[in-house]
Amino acid sequence: MGGVTSAASSPASAPGPASAPGLSVPSVLGLAPVIPVVALDEAADAVPLARALVAGGLPAIEVTLRTPAALGAIRAIADEVPDAVVGAGTLLDPGQVAAARAAGARFLVSPGWSPRLLGALRDSGLPFLPGVSTASEVVTLLDEGVTELKFFPAEAAGGTAYLTSLAAPLPQARFCPTGGITLASAPGYLALPNVGCVGGTWMLPADALAAKDWSRVERLAHEAAALRD
């Protein structure tokens, strides 16, 4: 996962949840080709959902802080699904960063960034991906020592064509594009040299979640995990 290079390169030495077993690579971008982006209305669904995703080959799971159940879901996954690397997404302020870390999040994702939020992400000791959608934002964060970024909203912000344009002048930047990506479009992103993984929701169809059809989620996760086989 990204953030400041020193934080990304030694997550095992970071305090708190980041030192737990399972984060065995220097970057969350390398854990799987796809990071499922999960929004849960019921924290009770977190554990069976996470187990299905892990069984399908997607161990890195971003739980977005867009619902009241999010922190409880992160806590349940961290406590009960040891093979999952659970992260928190849609972080907008330092208070959310602290709450996510306390709940057991092991990486952090924001849709954008500000100096205040960036400071909180750094101070967390966890790997993080601040969101960007312009070259100027990328240059500013590179100047801050941040090399791994979320590209959001990927499809609306220019998609693979935009990221291809950034690769030559900004080769040190690596991205997790998220926003509007599908099973059909994901391979185009994953083929780019500056893309480490993508974020998506297509393996979490609303009807499957409503029906608690975890076997279907597992099948779709297998399909997503195979994109880089």
Side-chain angles (χ1 to χ4, degrees):
M1 181 56 75
V4 181
T5 302
S6 60
S9 61
S10 57
S13 64
S19 63
L23 191 53
S24 58
V25 296
S27 168
V28 174
L29 292 183
L31 283 173
V34 179
I35 296 180
V37 180
V38 176
L40 286 174
D41 292 319
E42 298 181 34
D45 290 339
V47 168
L49 175 61
R51 286 175 176 160
L53 291 170
V54 170
L58 300 180
I61 303 168
E62 176 188 337
V63 178
T64 68
L65 268 62
R66 294 188 298 211
T67 69
L71 291 174
I74 291 170
R75 187 173 294 107
I77 294 170
D79 288 346
E80 299 183 45
V81 191
D83 292 330
V85 181
V86 62
T90 320
L91 296 169
L92 302 177
D93 61 61
Q96 289 181 321
V97 171
R101 190 184 188 285
R106 292 165 64 190
F107 65 92
L108 308 172
V109 184
S110 64
W113 69 281
S114 67
R116 182 167 168 259
L117 179 58
L118 181 62
L121 293 170
R122 287 185 193 272
D123 291 346
S124 73
L126 300 178
F128 60 89
L129 290 178
V132 297
S133 60
T134 69
S136 293
E137 290 176 298
V138 177
V139 170
T140 301
L141 286 172
L142 289 176
D143 191 52
E144 292 282 344
V146 182
T147 60
E148 297 188 352
L149 313 164
K150 173 178 178 173
F151 179 57
F152 176 83
E155 288 288 281
T160 56
Y162 194 90
L163 288 173
T164 298
S165 298
L166 294 181
L170 303 170
Q172 62 273 57
R174 297 182 70 233
F175 299 93
C176 175
T178 305
I181 297 175
T182 66
L183 178 64
S185 63
Y189 285 95
L190 293 170
L192 298 179
N194 55 351
V195 169
C197 64
V198 301
T201 61
W202 72 85
M203 74 297 298
L204 303 164
D207 58 341
L209 298 187
K212 305 187 190 304
D213 188 349
W214 311 127
S215 62
R216 183 181 171 197
V217 170
E218 182 178 341
R219 289 194 302 272
L220 293 172
H222 269 298
E223 194 174 37
L227 289 175
R228 197 171 262 166
D229 284 352

